[in-house]
Every structure is written in structure tokens, then in C-alpha cells.
Amino acid sequence: MDATNESSEGAPFILLGLTTSPEQRRPLFGLFLVLYVAGILGNGLIVAAIRASPALRAPMYFLLAHLSFADLCFTSVTVPKMLANLLAHDRSISVAGCLTQMYFFFALGVTDSCLLAAMAYDRYVAIRHPLHYATRMSRAVCKALVGTAWLVSHVHSLLHILLMARLSFCASHHVPHFFCDHQPLLRLSCSDTRHIQLLIFTEGAAVVVTPFLLILASYGAIAAAVLQLPSASGRLRAVSTCGSHLAVVSLFYGTVIAVYFQPTSRYEAERGRVATVMYTVVTPMLNPVIYSLRNRDVQGALRALFTGRRISAGDS
């Protein structure tokens, strides 16, 4: 490697962000600041309400608290840096900072994926096997599901980062994205990236596509059970709830699969940025609304949290 390439190896990356137009930066800053604050407040309130309320001790709420906490951290890995870069002239990020951001982004994203699958399984057991629900979704089982989600996600992320750290970037360090992501960085590398792409299509599929298929299977079984309900209003309410869940899940997994499960040579920066916004900003903001804020128990816990009134398990 020549002297020019050696000096480029340690150079920071320049995040080009969502747009290169100065006129669009302030409106985008305002929009994403509102979305980010809404997501942080929504997920933060859900975590606080579930932890503070003795009435919310069911497995569903235990899993939901971890999903909200993961979503809160997930958006905080990328959005604050994106907001700062929309107003700053210096949009650089060090190589170490880039790899660190990428590590937590993938770890928390996979945690989200696994927790969504665990929540779908919880609803499946509750509806299809209500008599065995207490044993199949005991506290120990819930802790094992959550622990597995966090462990698998960090092992997955560490493996990818170790491979990414070995790449050489001897050309441009201008990243056409608002954070350090796989595909745009692979496009900038002058190393052989086939082993990383193979890892994405194999091990990556195991932690993204497999949970998605499990969720679809769970909701398919739930739908079959819902159609057997004697009450028409009950069927309508259950279909509405499942439909909203599936809409957000499909948005999350659909955009993730569209971005990562394609050859690097076919990756388009502009379309990639738009898709990434969907699962980094929009779905973490929607999750509290879809999964909890329409729930009467959660609404009661939030009212108690704001008023300082203590509620017991018997109040629900």
C-alpha cells in the first residue's frame, strides 16, 4: 500500500447525512427532532409505567418494557449525531467512533427483532393455549427469552464489527448516509468484502428473517383462533389489534430486509437512507402507540405515574 493509502487508513469518515442541500437541513432538523423526542418520551414513559405499576407484571409487559428500552437506546445511537450534523459544518466521525456506533446499532436492532418475535410468541400462547399460559410463559421463561435476545444480538454485532475493522478504506471517506452503516461503508472499501456479504446473507438471515417468519406464523395461528370467537365485536377488535401490530412489524422487517439483503453493488444511497429512516426513527416511535398506549392497563399506570397515585394489581 502506498503512502497516500496509508494516510487515508486512519482518516475520519465524513457523514454526508440525509441531504446535501443547505435549505433542507433546518426543516429536516425540526422534523426529526420532533420524531426523536416523541419516541424517547413514548418509550421512556412505557418503561417507567411498567416498572412503577404492580398491576403490570404480566409477561407481555415484561417483554414490552425491554422492547421500549431497546427502542429508546436504538434511536439514540444514530439520531442525535444526525441532528447535530444537520446543523454542523464538521460532519466527521472517527473510525473508532464509526465502529462503535455500528456495533450498538446492530446489537440493538437485532435485540428489537428478537423481542418482537418473543412478544408474538407470548400472544400466541395466551390465545391458543390459555390453560398452559402460566407455565409456558413463566417469569423464568421470560427472562430466558430476553437474556437470549440480548446475548444473541451482541454476539452477532461483535462478529460483524470484527470483520468490518479489518477492512481497508483507501478511497473516499465520504459516507452517503447519516450514520455508519454496512452497505455504504462496504461500497467505500477497497478490500475483499465477499466474506462480510456472505455473513449478512447467512448469519444475518438467522437473526432477522427467522424472527420475522416466526411472527407471521404466530399471528397466522392467532388469526385462526380469532375467527372462532363468538362475538363479532371481539373478532373486530382482535383483528384491528393484530392488524396494527403486523403493519408496524412489516414496516420494520420490510425495510431492514430491503436494505441489507441485497448485493452491495446494487445498493442505492438515496433509497437506502429513506428505508433506514423507517426502522431507525419511525417504527421505534410507533411501537409505544401500537403495543401499549391503547391498552387500558397501561393508560391507568400512566395516569398513576403522573398523579402520584399508587395502584395495586387488583385495580386492573
Side-chain angles (χ1 to χ4, degrees), residues 9-131:
E9 281 295 305
F13 292 105
I14 307 298
L15 298 174
L16 299 182
L18 290 169
T19 180
T20 57
S21 171
E23 293 79 14
Q24 295 178 351
R25 288 177 185 169
R26 289 189 180 277
L28 285 174
F29 176 86
L31 171 64
F32 284 102
L33 179 62
V34 170
L35 294 176
Y36 177 61
V37 171
I40 291 296
L41 286 178
N43 285 296
L45 285 173
I46 296 305
V47 173
I50 292 174
R51 288 183 59 86
S53 174
L56 303 182
R57 290 292 179 265
M60 174 179 68
Y61 299 117
F62 178 78
L63 296 172
L64 179 60
H66 280 270
L67 177 68
S68 293
F69 177 72
D71 277 338
L72 190 154
C73 297
F74 185 50
T75 55
S76 297
V77 169
T78 58
V79 178
K81 178 66 175 175
M82 177 187 72
L83 292 173
N85 286 349
L86 283 170
L87 299 181
H89 294 291
D90 181 12
R91 298 189 294 277
S92 64
I93 182 171
S94 67
V95 174
C98 190
L99 292 175
T100 300
Q101 184 185 57
M102 190 183 297
Y103 174 86
F104 285 105
F105 175 79
F106 284 122
L108 292 162
V110 173
T111 301
D112 251 18
S113 175
C114 295
L115 289 175
L116 287 170
M119 291 174 66
Y121 174 72
D122 170 75
R123 292 299 84 202
Y124 166 78
V125 174
I127 293 176
R128 298 290 293 183
H129 305 283
L131 298 179

Side-chain angles (χ1 to χ4, degrees), residues 17 45 58 82 92 99 143 177 228 241 249 269 291 304 314:
L45 285 173
M82 177 187 72
S92 64
L99 292 175
K143 289 182 178 179
H177 215 314
Q228 299 174 8
T241 300
V249 164
Y291 285 101

